[in-house]
Structures are given as C-alpha cells and as structure tokens.
Amino acid sequence: MIIREKQEEPSFDVVLPPSKHGFGAVLSATKASASLPQAGDEFDFYRSFPGFQEFCESQGDKLLHFMSQIMQVHGCRSHLRDRNKLTGLEERFDLIVDSNDVILERVGILLDEADGVNRSQQPVMPAGFQPPKIVVSSWNRKGSGSGSRSEMFRLLHAKNVARPQLKFKEKVDNSNTPFIPKIFIKPNAVKPLPSYFTNKQIRKERPEDLDVPAALADLIHQQRTQEHVEDMFAHPYQYELDHLLLPESLLSKPEVQMYRPMDESNFSFIDTLEDLVALNEKLCKLSEFAVDLEHHSYRSFLGITSLMQISTREEDFIIDTLELRSELYILNEAFTDPAIVKVFHGADSDIEWLQRDFGLYVVRLFDTHQASRALNLARHSLDHLLTHFCNVGSDKRYQLADWRIRPLPDEMVQYARTDTHYLLYIYDCVRAQLLDFNHGQPGLLQSVWNKSKDISLKKYMKPIYTEESYLEVQRKQKRSFNTQQLTAFRLLFAWRDKLARQEDESTGYVLPTHMMIKISEELPKEPQGIIACCNPVPPLVRQQVNALHLLVQQAREMPLLKPEVTLFGPHDTSRVSESDHHPFSADELCFLLKEPRILKDEDSLPVAQMKARRIIESFENPFRMYLPSSDVHVNKNAKFDPSSKIFEVTNRAKYSHVYPDLDLVHKYTDERNKAKQSYKESLQNVATVRQQAESAKGGAKKRERVPSEVGESTPKPSKKLMTPAEKPQKTEPPPEESFKPFDYSQSDLKVFAGNKSKDNTQFDPNRQAHDFKKKKFGRGQKSNLGAGGRSMSYMAGKSDRGFRHNWPKR
C-alpha cells in the first residue's frame, strides 16, 4: 500500500512507508488465516456445514475478483473464475505464477529508476558500434586508492560486424594439413627462393587437385615430383639469418633521440594499394622503425591480424590489414633489409602472425621485451616501459576490443598509435642502459640481439588435430574421468574441432572447454541437459544439440570402468616391474580370459576381456611392490602339494575343467593325478614328529601306524624341513598287519599319580607359603613372592587372609 501525501509544492510527491496502515492490515490478515481450520479432517468437518461452505465460496469469489482486477491492471491474463474445465485449478495457479513474475519484474524496474538507473533507455549509436560496458573484476581494475573510487577498464566489442573473411581474395585454409609459407618473392635474398615458391601458376597446372585444400595439394605435388621436399616447410630466410653479421654501430652507445609529442606527429591511415607502396618506399630509406600488430582470435579458427601500426621518428602509420591482406607482401622489401632495424615489443606471436596472414618475414629484429629482461626491470610489459622511460600512462581500456570494427573510433586509433609512437625512444634508452649496466662492454647487448634473432627464426605451426589431441587438454584440466566420461570428452573434442574448422570459428566460440568438461562429467540423458550445462549457451551448441546428444549417448553405452589411481599407495602398481605385473604365463592368461590363443597385443582385446584382466589384477597382492621381484624363497613341499595355494596359482590352467580344448583338459588332468600320486608316495615313509621324538629317546618301542581299512589319509608334511642326511630312503611299503588293540595293563600308571598326601588335608595358604619359604630360601634369604606364580589353584577350604594378624606390616 503506497500513500502519497501532497506537500505545499505540487510538483513533489513524498512516498510514505506502508508501515503505518499496511502493516496492521497484513498482521490482522495473517492472524485470521492462522485461525482458520487446517486442511484435513478438521476442515472437512467444518465443510460439512452449509453455512461454512457458503461463506467460503463467497469469500473465494471475492478474492478471485480482486486478483483478476490486479492482473488486468498489469496487463496479465485474468480468467481465474473459469471452472468448466477439469484442469481449471492448475491453469489458475499457472496464471498467478506468471502474473507474479510480471509484477515483480516491473517492481524491479521501478526501483532501478528510483536509484537513477534506466534500463529501457538505449543510446543512439552508429551501426556496428556498441556502447562500452563496464565489467567489474579484479583484472581490469585500473587503480585502487583509499580516497578515490577504482576506475574500471571497458571492453569494447561489436556483435554486428561483418565477417572480414568473406572479403579475402584467398580463402582461409582451415584444413588439417601443415602450413606452407605463402612467400613467392624473396627480396634481399642471399640464397634464392626454391622454384616451387616462385612459380605462381603451379596450382593451375594441376587440375586434378582443384578440390583439395591448397596446402594438401602442394604436399601431394611435392610427393609426386620429389622436388624440394625438405625446403617446403623450411624458413625462407634461414640462411640469411644464420649468416647475419652485427655492425659495430649497433653495439655502440647510441645518442638518445627524444620522441615528438603525439599531437605534433603526422598520422596516416593506409587502406589503399597506392598508399601502401608509398609507405614501403619511405621505410626503405630509414635506418629503423617500430612495428606492432592487433589481433583477433575469437571469431576465427586460426585468428586474424586486424591492424598493423608502424612508427618512425616523425610520423605514425596504421595499416588496414583486413583490406590489404593480399598486398602486404610488398613490405618484405623493408622488413627483410638487414640494414634497417625493426623494433618490436614481445614479438613472439607477431612473427608468426606475419608469416601466417601476409607471408612477411623480419630480418634484423630488436625486441624491447628481451632487453627489459636483460635489465632485470620490475615488469616487462609495454605499459611499464612507457611509464618507466616516457612517464606516459597508457590507456588500456581498449586492450581487448574487437579490432575488426570499421571505421575505427578515435579512441582506438589513439590507443593503436601509443603502442609504437614511443617505441623508438625506448629502443635508444634500453641500448644505452645495457651498455652502462655491463660497464661499457657489448656482451649484454649482444645477447639481446641474439635472442631477438632467434625470435625472428620462429616458424608458424598450424594446429593439427590427431586422435590424441584431447589428452593434452584433459591433462591440463587435472580431472579424473571414467571410461564413459573420457569417451564423451574425446567425442566432443573431435566434434568441436571439426565444426570450428568448417565454420571458421574459434574452439572457444563453438564450445568452451569448461562447458565441454561439464557435459562430459554430467553425461545428460536428454538434450535439455546439455543446454543446462552451458551458461550462456553458445549459438552453435543450440543448433547442434541433437548431434551432441547422440555423442553423449554413444559415450554412455561404453562399459563403466574406474579411472586409474594416480596417487601412490599400497595398491599402486606403477612401481611394479613388468615381470611381476603378470605372474601367469601366456597360456594361463588365455585361459583366464577365455581365449585359446597367445595374447600379444593388449589393445586388440575386446572390452570384456580387458575388464576381466583388470579384475584379476585387482586380486593380486597389494604389497607386491615391497617384495623382491626374484629369488623369493618358497617351500618345496608347498610347490608340490595340490592342496596349497602356490600349487593352485602356478598350475591354474592345468587342472581346469572348462578349457576350450578337450585334449588339453585330459592332458592337464592326467598330469595333476600323477602329481598327486607321486606326492603321496614320497610321503609314505616320512617319520612323524612323535616317531622322531620316540626314536630320539631310544628306550621306547616305535608303534607302526597301520592304515585303516576304510580309507587312507595323506599325512601333512612337517613344518621343519629335514636335512638331506636325515631324509629317509625310499623303501618298499611294509606289509599290512591285522589290527591289535593297545594293552593298557602294561602301561606305567605311576606317572598319573600325584605327590604323597600329608596328614592335614585342609588347605592353609599361610602355612603353605611359610613352608615354601623355608624350603626354598631358608633362613636369612629374601623371597620375591609379590609377583606370584604363573598359575595358582586353591582347593575348597577356609582362608585366614582376612584376619587382622595376617595384615601386612608397615
């Protein structure tokens, strides 16, 4: 409830809080609703009275009428009193939910307007240009002061930029083939370019390869002719860079030339062939110039070099590389001249982009990033160098801008000019400091020149997809997948790579890696589950959701196996030698895996047999790694005892009854029976422990054991092994004798009689202890009776332990 109160000035309204009247009404309504009969038996009882039923219906109609009026005011559907349909209650509930969403959304908009934020107002901007958005994050915070608010960097992006790839004269080659240099003219050459690159009509002479990608057609042609195959992928200026000599002027201390203010410097935007030729003529007359590139990689598979900045001592140039992409090879005349120094900052990626898009190569490169590292500066970014040497703060608001925007806004032009305008002055400063840092010796400066030359020797390598490419990405994520999840990740990775090459989009645009991992972990059963794993949903995923669903279903059909254990523990088999990893022979493994053949290639096994092998390995001794791998002592009797575990493991396949070959079954059964029989025969004359003890006494007569008539039991071997001298010789088995019972009358029964009984049979522990002390220790000797004996037994009788005269003395 909102109450507006007019003030003296009619142009102002004051909104009073609804606590004065509204809170009381809400409280009374809550109390009244709590006192109503609860749903269940109590409500049904009251409902049986006609008066209560009529009252409820009348109040319900009033509430529905009021709710319908509120919904009509907000433009929502309000057919709440329609009771003709069977599903009327559910439909009325859905209408209320939708109306609440609309009303709450409108309340949120009004609250934003009260705070000064108008979300419905859209600024009028030119086509292809979107207003900058503020992204609140830790990485884009420009500076944080205690008394000032932190200023955020702004990301400038464009959603409606026409794809520049459509205007390229040479179609982008995203095929899964190696990259071949685009150069066909080699200025400033010491070693001439191979004839393969100089003949531009070579592809027109191969009509059979017109439907094949250009790089693949070149490779096929090289394989046919066997000419210049080794030079096909080599760096065109490898020889020139290897034999490049550094003049003394570049190793001496330079005269630092101050840069001109940016407002006083001339600026030219190059977007025509005539301006590009004129720029090349100017650059060829100089001794040094600075170069930088702006790159775009989100809406292209290989990436696009969108802009090139070149600065001299007097003026700045910006080249539209999207418009002059196929004509930029003209700059090779200046870029490969060893008499001209090309100054870059962080040229590792720039060198590869120049080769990939324009066929440009750099000879005599100086990288200020390598110089910053040699000087051990606090940071090595261009922003830090500008602050350190030029006292200029670079504006990085457009660092992540979409450089495909045409025409370029003035802010982006200023940012692009800043990257190269001060670079020649920094080049002079770092050379002077490198010499001063090394006490005038050119060794440190020479090392920077050598590192810069190594960077210019880099070659662009095209991303090639293989069946194992997904493993590198999966290892970087440090996730543990089972077989189904790993299969889904592999299929999604292959689908993403193929679609990105076809559509010329980056893999991050098609399906980001974190979304791909989420889908692989969840394995959704429905297409809606795939959509739920992506927030926001990439456009190509929404289009190809059915194809992704089929891939996930294919992964779910794989047998589910646990992932390999990567942590060290008792069950870690990574340190077990190969000889201990499979203690069975090849024939025994064939039996265990139900395959009557020798296994040589583990990868050729079916999934079920591989699972059986893993199950068998899980029953191995987990402490096998702590045991010696060879020369392990095993009891000889246990090896030949059919009832022992050693005999079962070493002869697992010999006594099996389910081996596929019946002849081998009979063969192994006979061998087993023979082993049992020989074992029994070897133990017939083995003396038992009792017999050995009686023979040691020498007085007692040995009692020969006669096998029973019912059956014969195999005696177990003694635990203590006899020496070879003590082992009995094999003799003929003694003849069987009739059973004779033992005559107990001849036994000496005195051994079972105790000591002579004394006159007093009553047990007296005090007297017993006193007599024992006298007998054992005598007079004057101490006895240690506190500990007691090992076993004490008392006969029934009266004890005087509790009497006072028997208490221990102090």
Side-chain angles (χ1 to χ4, degrees):
M1 179 183 297
I2 299 176
I3 303 175
R4 295 180 180 271
E5 184 176 327
K6 279 287 185 181
Q7 301 293 331
E8 295 180 359
E9 297 181 2
S11 59
F12 297 94
D13 293 339
V14 177
V15 181
L16 296 179
S19 59
K20 185 176 181 180
H21 303 285
F23 182 75
V26 171
L27 184 62
S28 60
T30 304
K31 291 182 178 179
S33 62
S35 61
L36 291 175
Q38 300 297 324
D41 297 337
E42 185 180 1
F43 180 79
D44 295 339
F45 173 73
Y46 282 97
R47 185 75 175 175
S48 62
F49 295 97
F52 182 81
Q53 183 176 2
E54 293 177 0
F55 177 78
C56 290
E57 291 179 355
S58 62
Q59 294 298 324
D61 292 339
K62 289 182 180 180
L63 290 176
L64 292 177
H65 178 68
F66 293 151
M67 292 171 64
S68 300
Q69 289 182 345
I70 295 175
M71 294 164 66
Q72 289 177 2
V73 170
H74 291 280
C76 304
R77 296 172 55 194
S78 59
H79 300 287
L80 295 179
R81 303 184 64 181
D82 189 5
R83 301 181 182 179
N84 298 328
K85 299 180 182 179
L86 298 176
T87 60
L89 182 61
E90 296 180 359
E91 291 184 358
R92 287 196 296 269
F93 183 78
D94 294 338
L95 289 177
I96 293 174
V97 171
D98 296 339
S99 301
N100 286 335
D101 294 340
V102 174
I103 294 173
L104 291 176
E105 179 67 21
R106 185 165 299 178
V107 169
I109 294 175
L110 294 176
L111 291 176
D112 290 340
E113 291 181 355
D115 292 338
V117 179
N118 190 358
R119 295 188 297 180
S120 62
Q121 183 178 0
Q122 296 291 341
V124 179
M125 303 297 291
F129 184 82
Q130 297 294 330
K133 294 184 179 181
I134 298 177
V135 178
V136 180
S137 181
S138 60
W139 62 267
N140 65 345
R141 189 168 287 113
K142 185 176 181 180
S144 58
S146 59
S148 60
R149 296 180 60 184
S150 300
E151 183 179 356
M152 304 299 174
F153 292 145
R154 298 181 179 181
L155 308 182
L156 183 63
H157 66 282
K159 298 181 180 179
N160 301 321
V161 174
R163 294 174 65 84
Q165 298 95 315
L166 303 177
K167 300 180 181 179
F168 294 163
K169 296 181 180 179
E170 184 178 357
K171 188 178 180 181
V172 178
D173 183 16
N174 293 329
S175 61
N176 197 33
T177 55
F179 174 76
I180 299 178
K182 295 183 176 182
I183 187 172
F184 59 93
I185 296 177
K186 187 178 179 181
N188 306 305
V190 178
K191 181 181 178 180
L193 194 67
S195 59
Y196 164 75
F197 295 104
T198 57
N199 189 2
K200 297 181 61 176
Q201 305 296 327
I202 190 171
R203 289 171 184 158
K204 296 182 180 180
E205 298 175 359
R206 307 194 306 264
E208 67 276 7
D209 297 335
L210 292 179
D211 297 334
V212 182
L216 183 58
D218 295 339
L219 181 62
I220 294 173
H221 178 75
Q222 291 297 323
Q223 296 296 330
R224 289 173 183 166
T225 59
Q226 297 296 326
E227 295 178 0
H228 308 292
V229 177
E230 64 279 359
D231 298 335
M232 185 174 179
F233 304 102
H235 196 287
Y237 284 88
Q238 178 80 36
Y239 183 84
E240 285 77 8
L241 289 171
D242 290 340
H243 297 80
L244 185 63
L245 300 177
L246 195 62
E248 293 294 333
S249 59
L250 298 178
L251 293 176
S252 59
K253 190 171 183 179
E255 181 181 355
V256 179
Q257 301 183 27
M258 178 57 65
Y259 57 88
R260 299 179 61 181
M262 189 176 294
D263 298 337
E264 300 177 5
S265 301
N266 297 328
F267 166 71
S268 302
F269 188 80
I270 309 299
D271 57 354
T272 61
L273 181 59
E274 292 77 8
D275 295 340
L276 183 63
V277 173
L279 173 62
N280 182 62
E281 294 177 356
K282 290 181 180 180
L283 297 179
C284 290
K285 300 176 183 179
L286 302 175
S287 59
E288 69 271 338
F289 59 86
V291 186
D292 190 29
L293 301 177
E294 300 297 340
H295 190 260
H296 178 81
S297 60
Y298 186 60
R299 297 302 304 273
S300 175
F301 180 74
L302 299 177
I304 305 174
T305 304
S306 304
L307 216 64
M308 180 188 294
Q309 305 98 280
I310 297 179
S311 294
T312 63
R313 300 283 182 179
E314 289 80 18
E315 53 183 333
D316 302 326
F317 303 92
I318 292 183
I319 305 174
D320 188 358
T321 57
L322 299 178
E323 189 70 24
L324 301 174
R325 180 184 176 92
S326 58
E327 286 82 15
L328 281 173
Y329 67 91
I330 299 175
L331 296 179
N332 260 330
E333 185 178 359
F335 274 59
T336 59
D337 190 351
I340 305 176
V341 177
K342 276 69 65 175
V343 182
F344 284 76
H345 180 82
D348 299 77
S349 300
D350 296 342
I351 292 297
E352 297 182 359
W353 296 340
L354 290 174
Q355 298 176 21
R356 180 197 63 195
D357 294 338
F358 318 123
L360 285 175
Y361 296 87
V362 179
V363 178
R364 190 74 69 191
L365 168 68
F366 186 90
D367 194 344
T368 55
H369 177 80
Q370 300 297 328
S372 174
R373 287 185 174 276
L375 291 173
N376 293 326
L377 298 181
R379 293 191 304 274
H380 311 302
S381 63
L382 181 59
D383 185 18
H384 179 70
L385 294 182
L386 290 174
T387 306
H388 182 73
F389 291 105
C390 307
N391 198 19
V392 174
S394 62
D395 188 4
K396 296 295 182 182
R397 291 184 300 170
Y398 303 105
Q399 186 175 10
L400 301 179
D402 191 346
W403 291 97
R404 302 174 302 164
I405 298 175
R406 297 295 184 273
L408 285 173
D410 295 337
E411 295 84 357
M412 297 178 68
V413 172
Q414 291 297 113
Y415 170 81
R417 290 182 61 186
T418 306
D419 287 346
T420 56
H421 181 78
Y422 306 94
L423 204 53
L424 292 177
Y425 173 74
I426 296 175
Y427 162 66
D428 294 339
C429 294
V430 295
R431 281 196 299 158
Q433 289 193 8
L434 285 171
L435 292 173
D436 295 340
F437 192 77
N438 202 27
H439 306 287
Q441 299 298 323
L444 194 59
L445 181 58
Q446 177 75 43
S447 66
V448 175
W449 281 108
N450 293 336
K451 291 180 180 179
S452 301
K453 185 180 70 174
D454 295 339
I455 293 176
S456 61
L457 281 170
K458 292 183 64 175
K459 295 186 298 182
Y460 171 72
M461 303 300 294
K462 195 174 179 182
I464 302 298
Y465 171 79
T466 60
E467 295 182 356
E468 290 79 19
S469 299
Y470 72 99
L471 293 176
E472 183 180 359
V473 180
Q474 192 263 339
R475 291 191 195 100
K476 291 181 180 179
Q477 302 300 322
K478 299 180 181 180
R479 302 294 181 91
S480 181
F481 288 159
N482 56 30
T483 52
Q484 293 183 355
Q485 294 173 340
L486 190 61
T487 303
F489 187 83
R490 174 175 58 83
L491 295 175
L492 292 176
F493 186 89
W495 171 86
R496 183 181 73 166
D497 184 86
K498 181 180 179 181
L499 190 61
R501 293 177 186 271
Q502 291 178 354
E503 302 294 332
D504 195 16
E505 301 284 359
S506 65
T507 54
Y509 177 82
V510 176
L511 180 60
T513 303
H514 69 278
M515 295 184 185
M516 184 167 57
I517 292 177
K518 181 68 173 177
I519 297 174
S520 302
E521 289 179 343
E522 299 295 335
L523 296 177
K525 296 182 179 179
E526 301 294 337
Q528 292 79 6
I530 298 177
I531 299 297
C533 293
C534 305
N535 185 22
V537 184
L540 294 178
V541 171
R542 191 179 297 275
Q543 296 176 6
Q544 304 285 339
V545 65
N546 293 328
L548 292 176
H549 179 54
L550 294 177
L551 296 178
V552 174
Q553 282 185 337
Q554 182 179 349
R556 293 179 67 92
E557 294 174 358
M558 295 291 294
L560 183 61
L561 298 178
K562 294 181 180 180
E564 296 182 358
V565 180
T566 57
L567 298 178
F568 175 75
H571 297 273
D572 184 14
T573 59
S574 60
R575 304 195 180 199
V576 182
S577 60
E578 296 181 359
S579 59
D580 295 339
H581 195 67
H582 296 293
F584 311 116
S585 62
D587 293 336
E588 292 167 353
L589 283 176
C590 294
F591 158 72
L592 295 175
L593 299 176
K594 300 295 187 297
E595 183 69 20
R597 61 181 178 87
I598 298 177
L599 302 176
K600 295 182 179 180
D601 189 7
E602 185 178 358
D603 297 335
S604 62
L605 289 176
V607 178
Q609 294 182 2
M610 294 177 64
K611 185 176 181 180
R613 172 173 292 185
R614 292 189 179 96
I615 293 174
I616 292 170
E617 293 174 356
S618 65
F619 287 100
E620 294 181 3
N621 185 6
F623 302 96
R624 180 181 294 273
M625 67 180 69
Y626 303 109
L627 300 177
S629 59
S630 60
D631 299 332
V632 180
H633 174 73
V634 181
N635 196 335
K636 295 181 179 180
N637 292 334
K639 283 186 177 181
F640 300 98
D641 186 4
S643 62
S644 64
K645 192 65 178 179
I646 298 296
F647 185 90
E648 179 184 354
V649 172
T650 55
N651 302 275
R652 186 183 295 270
K654 293 183 179 180
Y655 59 92
S656 62
H657 299 283
V658 291
Y659 202 82
D661 196 348
L662 296 179
D663 296 336
L664 294 176
V665 171
H666 297 306
K667 178 181 177 181
Y668 292 147
T669 305
D670 296 340
E671 292 182 359
R672 181 191 176 192
N673 295 334
K674 290 179 181 180
K676 281 187 176 182
Q677 186 65 26
S678 62
Y679 181 77
K680 290 180 180 180
E681 293 176 358
S682 63
L683 295 177
Q684 283 182 357
N685 296 325
V686 176
T688 62
V689 178
R690 185 181 183 87
Q691 292 173 356
Q692 295 178 11
E694 292 178 355
S695 63
K697 292 180 180 180
K701 183 181 179 181
K702 295 182 180 180
R703 182 173 58 88
E704 298 178 356
R705 179 178 179 181
V706 181
S708 61
E709 297 178 358
V710 179
E712 180 180 358
S713 62
T714 304
K716 295 183 178 180
S718 60
K719 296 183 180 179
K720 182 178 180 181
L721 294 178
M722 296 181 295
T723 59
E726 297 176 356
K727 288 186 178 179
Q729 302 294 332
K730 293 184 179 180
T731 58
E732 295 295 330
E736 297 183 359
E737 298 179 1
S738 59
F739 175 75
K740 293 180 180 181
F742 182 75
D743 190 6
Y744 289 94
S745 61
Q746 300 177 5
S747 302
D748 186 10
L749 301 179
K750 293 182 180 181
V751 297
F752 298 100
N755 296 331
K756 292 182 179 181
S757 61
K758 298 182 180 181
D759 298 336
N760 189 7
T761 59
Q762 184 68 25
F763 173 76
D764 189 358
N766 297 321
R767 187 179 62 179
Q768 184 180 9
H770 183 70
D771 296 341
F772 176 78
K773 184 185 298 184
K774 286 182 180 181
K775 183 177 180 181
K776 185 72 177 176
F777 302 99
R779 299 179 181 275
Q781 295 184 2
K782 295 182 179 180
S783 63
N784 187 14
L785 298 177
R790 290 187 179 180
S791 62
M792 301 178 64
S793 60
Y794 303 96
M795 299 178 62
K798 186 176 180 180
S799 175
D800 296 331
R801 255 183 315 191
F803 292 172
R804 186 172 182 178
H805 63 274
N806 291 326
W807 289 358
K809 297 181 181 181
R810 294 176 179 263

